Amino acid sequence: MPVPRRLDPPLVAALVSFTFIQAYVVTGLWHTWSHPVVAWFALPVLAVLATYECFRTARCTELDRATRRFWGCLATACALLVPAAVSAMDDAVGGPVLSQVLSVRTQGLFLCALVVVFWGLLRLPSWQRSRGDWLRFVLDAGVITITAGTLIWHFSLGRIDFSASPNATPASVIVITVVSAVSLITFVKVAFAGAGRIDRGALHLLSSGVAAAASAGMIAPFIVDRAHLHTCLVALPMSQLTALLAARRQRHRTGAPPAARPASRRFSLVPYLAVVLLYAAVLKVETPRGGSEMLMALAATAVTVLVALRQFTTLRDNARLLDTVDVSLTQLRDYQKQLDHQVTHDALTGIGNRSAYAGEISARLAGDEPFVVALLDVDDFKIINDRYGHATGDALLQTISRRLRDRLRPEDTVARLGGDEFTLLLPGMTETETDLLLSELLTAVQAPVLDGGLEMTPRISVGVTASRPDDTDGELLRRADVAMYAAKSAGGGRWTWFDPVMDQLADHDARLSADLRQAIARDELFLLYQPIVELPHGRLAGVEALVRWRHPELGLVSPAEFIPLAERNGYIVELGRWILEQAVHQASAWERDLGADAPAKVSVNVSARQLGEPGFPAEVAALLSASGLDPARLTIEVTETAVLSTGVALEAVRALAALGPTIALDDFGTGQSSLSLLVDCPVGWLKVDKSFVDGVTLDSPQAVIVDSLIRITDGLRMQAVAEGVETAEQAERLHRAGYRFAQGYHFARPMTDTDIALRIAAPIDRVPAHALPM
């Protein structure tokens, strides 16, 4: 059921007043009213209602300042018309006889209202013009004034005998009509040129009101003999009602987008129209007279028309030329915008680039506003590029940038510094708010990405730092970079806030990294071998090659420190190659020197970066061929995370297995564990991590996992090796569970190749090679 609309008292009162006044005027054309003052009382009412509506619009907070100021001026003008209407009423009916003459007081009030309206119009955005624009406007107004005054006098006022009606004067009629015409032109210019956020329909309503008021002034000569009528009874209601309607329309259209501004004409037709009208009047006067005056009038008219036509064609050609120039300038501006966008935006992702980000940071620092900088790096992005190609890597970067942009606030900034590095600028955020945002970002960014049927799960490491009063853009990014590498060192896929201690650690890591790159050339690296034994008697079944670094100043550096460092700086590839070469050559030497008593298996750890290197399987094949080592004696140890990182790693493992070495899955259960990997990957040995072995003698979940894994390996015809065995109880419990092989400090610590040879010479290890698992 539709809800009935409530009556609008101001609108109803205005319409009633307007209708009453117009009915009075129309009826008065043939009827003489005995009490004309009744109609005049409605004029101040209309002015008050128009003032009220314009004032409401001026107070509307949803409008911009310039628009509110214009409606404020219009409200002031309408308010001035209240005393002006009362004064006009006094002039008309307040004397001993009815009068159509406006007093100086009334004309002054009307003039003040007109000045206020003009002031409001000229302060609109569209009227912030040059001196040339002002000069053209004044000239147009002069042309209109002269033309309108001349034509009105010739065709109307000059033919009326005002002496019979002393209550009306031709001068006042001309002044009112000309001023109304100039006002009309001003409103029309503004309405068609546009005026910022002022509704164009409201301006058209105001123009219509001024036009009606101007037309009302022209009827003055025809009512000079009807003293009970007055032009104010027509002009004022028209202007006030349209002002009221325009103000209401402006409020109702608040929030609507402004109408597109039409293309402005580069020349005005007003002067030409004025010339045509005046010459037409001249010809009308002179043609009936004939003679030389008629010929002169015709000649002047013809010459003027030809000159006007010539100027018109010139203006048209200039307009076409200006249109061409405008098109070229528009194209140039568009091209400039494209260049500006390219300079400040990353071509691949469409987000800001390093230059734009540096400018934003500098602006924030200059403004002394607190903000947070976060530096993001995609973990193992090189492997993705190498495995799937740069097109896939680019698609991944585009997806990450889109996810970042979609989840940031409008005031935040995201940029790509280059490669797989992104950076964020987060103004006005506390540490708690930043942690919450980064948690959401990591969840979103690290969601699986599907590209052409290929599913990838990106991981990102984030370094975070807050701005300081004395910061520079370089220092901010340096701190964020240090924190980001700390996040990577902690395993990646997380964010870390900068801590001053990190600078000390970073300096230490930088020096250690530089030394590590020289370690091979300086002969500071060496291998130890930890025995893998057979349960329960502990006979040697194989060895695992472990690298050690004897630093000239720091002494022995733990592998837990320099191996992750090599992973981060990429040196792990060269280091891994050296370890593999040394282990293979040592295994070949044992095979040559010890024969059947040589270790049946020599295990070498291979990193994810090595597996991602193009040609790595071929490199291993060449090494085996050059050394003469039986490939069956070599075991390649890989981690779950390394194999699952990309398809390149899995393909490399399969290629290595095809060469003959055994594939061992190291630290099983601690990475991205997936039982499907045991099916997809050609695994021969499964190494159970020490974290499970530690709880094997207790009634614990670890013991359950250990028991379950041995059943899985037996079913899949794999060999299981328990790592980190440190007590006899653990060894005995593992043997009872079904484990045949183990390694750990309980059996032996890592030892040199000489110690391995001595151990082999011991009676317990003199076991034929064929008796050990291959």
Side-chain angles (χ1 to χ4, degrees):
M1 179 178 179
V3 179
R5 297 182 60 183
R6 295 187 302 172
L7 292 177
D8 192 331
L11 180 61
V12 172
L15 291 176
V16 170
S17 300
F18 177 80
T19 304
F20 172 72
I21 295 172
Q22 300 311 307
Y24 171 86
V25 172
V26 172
T27 307
L29 293 175
W30 65 83
H31 175 72
T32 301
W33 295 98
S34 57
H35 300 287
V37 70
V38 175
W40 282 92
F41 280 127
L43 284 184
V45 174
L46 262 177
V48 169
L49 292 173
T51 302
Y52 170 73
E53 293 290 349
C54 291
F55 180 74
R56 285 184 62 192
T57 304
R59 295 293 299 273
C60 184
T61 57
E62 297 182 15
L63 297 175
D64 63 283
R65 182 179 180 183
T67 304
R68 294 199 306 270
R69 182 176 59 211
F70 168 76
W71 287 105
C73 290
L74 206 57
T76 303
C78 291
L80 287 172
L81 290 180
V82 175
V86 175
S87 178
M89 179 174 63
D90 181 64
D91 295 339
V93 300
V97 295
L98 298 178
S99 174
Q100 294 178 343
V101 178
L102 296 177
S103 64
V104 175
R105 176 192 60 205
T106 304
Q107 292 182 30
L109 289 172
F110 281 137
L111 180 61
C112 289
L114 190 62
V115 168
V116 172
V117 173
F118 267 106
W119 176 252
L121 284 172
L122 299 181
R123 293 192 68 189
L124 289 174
S126 63
W127 277 86
Q128 308 302 314
R129 301 189 173 191
S130 64
R131 292 182 179 179
D133 293 329
W134 279 106
L135 177 61
R136 282 186 289 274
F137 173 73
V138 172
L139 292 176
D140 284 347
V143 170
I144 294 169
T145 301
I146 295 173
T147 303
T150 302
L151 294 178
I152 291 172
W153 175 261
H154 176 74
F155 289 103
S156 179
L157 302 181
R159 303 181 182 187
I160 297 175
D161 183 10
F162 282 91
S163 61
S165 179
N167 297 325
T169 62
S172 63
V173 175
I174 291 178
V175 170
I176 292 174
T177 305
V178 169
V179 170
S180 298
V182 173
S183 303
L184 174 62
I185 291 297
T186 306
F187 267 108
V188 169
K189 277 180 172 290
V190 174
F192 283 94
R197 302 290 299 185
I198 296 181
D199 179 68
R200 196 179 299 278
L203 286 174
H204 289 163
L205 280 172
L206 293 173
S207 302
S208 302
V210 174
S215 301
M218 297 181 65
I219 69 171
F222 305 102
I223 60 173
V224 293
D225 57 343
R226 295 175 176 83
H228 59 281
L229 297 182
H230 201 287
T231 54
C232 286
L233 294 176
V234 179
L236 276 178
M238 292 288 187
S239 61
Q240 295 305 284
L241 180 63
T242 52
L244 181 147
L245 295 176
R248 293 171 62 87
R249 176 183 172 87
Q250 178 71 71
R251 288 201 309 275
H252 294 159
R253 296 283 294 176
T254 299
R261 178 174 177 174
S264 60
R265 188 186 294 124
R266 293 187 176 85
F267 55 90
S268 174
L269 292 177
V270 171
Y272 300 96
L273 180 61
V275 169
V276 170
L277 292 176
L278 282 179
Y279 270 97
V282 170
L283 291 177
K284 184 177 182 302
V285 172
E286 297 296 337
T287 300
R289 299 178 181 179
S292 60
E293 288 84 358
M294 182 191 72
L295 291 177
M296 290 296 294
L298 289 173
T301 302
V303 170
T304 303
V305 169
L306 292 175
V307 171
L309 288 175
R310 182 182 183 281
Q311 187 177 13
F312 185 80
T313 56
T314 302
L315 290 174
R316 187 184 60 181
D317 292 340
N318 290 341
R320 290 176 179 173
L321 179 61
L322 288 174
D323 287 337
T324 304
V325 173
D326 278 350
V327 171
S328 301
L329 289 175
T330 301
Q331 294 174 344
L332 182 61
R333 283 192 293 267
D334 291 342
Y335 182 65
Q336 183 65 42
K337 290 179 180 178
Q338 294 177 4
L339 288 179
D340 292 342
H341 187 274
Q342 292 174 3
V343 169
T344 58
H345 287 73
D346 179 57
L348 175 64
T349 61
I351 61 177
N353 58 15
R354 179 185 289 271
S355 174
Y357 189 76
E360 182 69 19
I361 286 186
S362 299
R364 294 285 181 180
L365 290 173
D368 198 23
E369 300 176 8
F371 58 91
V372 172
V373 169
L375 184 63
L376 297 78
D377 185 84
V378 183
D379 297 338
D380 298 320
F381 182 71
K382 182 179 183 300
I383 297 177
I384 296 175
N385 262 346
D386 293 342
R387 171 64 181 91
Y388 301 114
H390 290 279
T392 299
D394 290 347
L396 178 62
L397 294 177
Q398 290 170 341
T399 300
I400 291 175
S401 66
R402 183 173 60 254
R403 289 175 175 178
L404 290 172
R405 186 173 53 231
D406 290 346
R407 283 160 180 82
L408 292 176
R409 303 170 302 170
E411 61 267 31
D412 298 334
T413 301
V414 57
R416 181 185 176 212
L417 296 186
D420 59 339
E421 281 190 342
F422 298 85
T423 186
L424 309 177
L425 191 151
L426 312 172
M429 294 195 78
T430 64
E431 183 173 342
T432 301
E433 292 170 340
T434 303
D435 287 340
L436 180 60
L437 175 63
L438 291 177
S439 177
E440 296 174 353
L441 283 179
L442 259 67
T443 300
V445 172
Q446 296 184 155
V449 176
L450 189 63
D451 179 62
L454 175 67
E455 183 175 301
M456 297 173 287
T457 304
R459 285 167 58 84
I460 61 174
S461 298
V462 186
V464 194
T465 186
S467 64
R468 300 170 183 171
D470 56 345
D471 265 333
T472 63
D473 54 348
E475 171 61 18
L476 274 166
L477 287 177
R478 186 198 67 80
R479 294 203 307 266
D481 187 64
V482 170
M484 184 266 290
Y485 276 105
K488 282 186 175 293
S489 300
R494 67 192 68 202
W495 73 90
T496 301
W497 283 85
F498 174 80
D499 189 292
V501 176
M502 293 178 181
D503 275 338
Q504 301 176 14
L505 296 176
D507 291 341
H508 173 75
D509 286 350
R511 291 193 297 269
L512 202 62
S513 177
D515 291 342
L516 180 59
R517 292 185 177 276
Q518 304 296 324
I520 294 177
R522 294 172 179 172
D523 198 24
E524 296 170 1
L525 300 177
F526 61 95
L527 295 186
L528 296 179
Y529 301 89
Q530 184 173 31
I532 301 172
V533 303
E534 186 178 358
L535 297 177
H537 38 68
R539 284 178 299 193
L540 187 68
V543 294
E544 179 181 356
L546 303 172
V547 66
R548 296 293 184 264
W549 181 17
R550 184 179 290 105
H551 193 279
E553 298 177 2
L554 303 176
L556 284 176
V557 180
S558 170
E561 183 176 1
F562 72 82
I563 293 296
L565 188 62
E567 291 276 5
R568 291 197 299 272
N569 63 22
Y571 189 65
I572 191 66
V573 175
E574 185 175 348
L575 178 61
R577 181 181 297 113
W578 181 85
I579 295 171
L580 183 61
E581 290 174 353
Q582 297 299 311
V584 167
H585 288 311
Q586 183 58 59
S588 177
W590 281 330
E591 186 179 42
R592 183 177 59 254
D593 297 340
L594 303 177
D597 294 329
K601 293 288 185 182
V602 176
S603 297
V604 180
N605 291 281
V606 172
S607 70
R609 287 183 180 269
Q610 286 179 274
L611 292 175
E613 284 293 305
F616 179 67
E619 183 180 324
V620 174
L623 180 60
L624 289 172
S625 176
S627 65
L629 178 67
D630 180 2
R633 289 186 178 273
L634 178 64
T635 298
I636 301 293
E637 292 193 15
V638 296
T639 63
E640 303 165 88
T641 303
V643 177
L644 289 173
S645 59
T646 65
V648 172
L650 184 56
E651 292 299 326
V653 168
R654 289 171 177 166
L656 290 171
L659 296 176
T662 301
I663 303 299
L665 201 56
D666 196 15
D667 300 332
F668 187 79
T670 61
Q672 302 173 8
S673 299
S674 173
L675 292 177
S676 64
L677 185 62
L678 301 178
V679 178
D680 298 334
C681 185
V683 178
W685 285 45
L686 188 69
K687 304 192 75 171
V688 181
D689 190 69
K690 182 181 183 298
S691 60
F692 298 116
V693 174
D694 287 342
V696 74
T697 59
L698 305 174
D699 185 11
S700 64
Q702 290 91 335
V704 175
I705 293 174
V706 168
D707 291 338
S708 300
L709 288 177
I710 194 62
R711 289 194 293 271
I712 291 174
T713 55
D714 286 345
L716 296 176
R717 300 181 182 276
M718 298 178 185
Q719 296 294 341
V721 179
E723 295 183 295
V725 180
E726 297 182 349
T727 66
E729 290 79 11
Q730 290 175 342
E732 191 274 332
R733 171 67 175 82
L734 289 166
H735 179 253
R736 282 193 289 106
Y739 284 82
R740 292 183 56 201
F741 303 99
Q743 69 180 102
Y745 285 1
H746 173 63
F747 304 107
R749 291 179 176 272
M751 56 185 67
T752 64
D753 57 301
T754 303
D755 291 336
I756 290 292
L758 293 175
R759 182 184 175 96
I760 292 174
I764 189 174
D765 288 321
R766 298 188 65 82
V767 180
H770 62 78
L772 300 177
M774 302 300 285

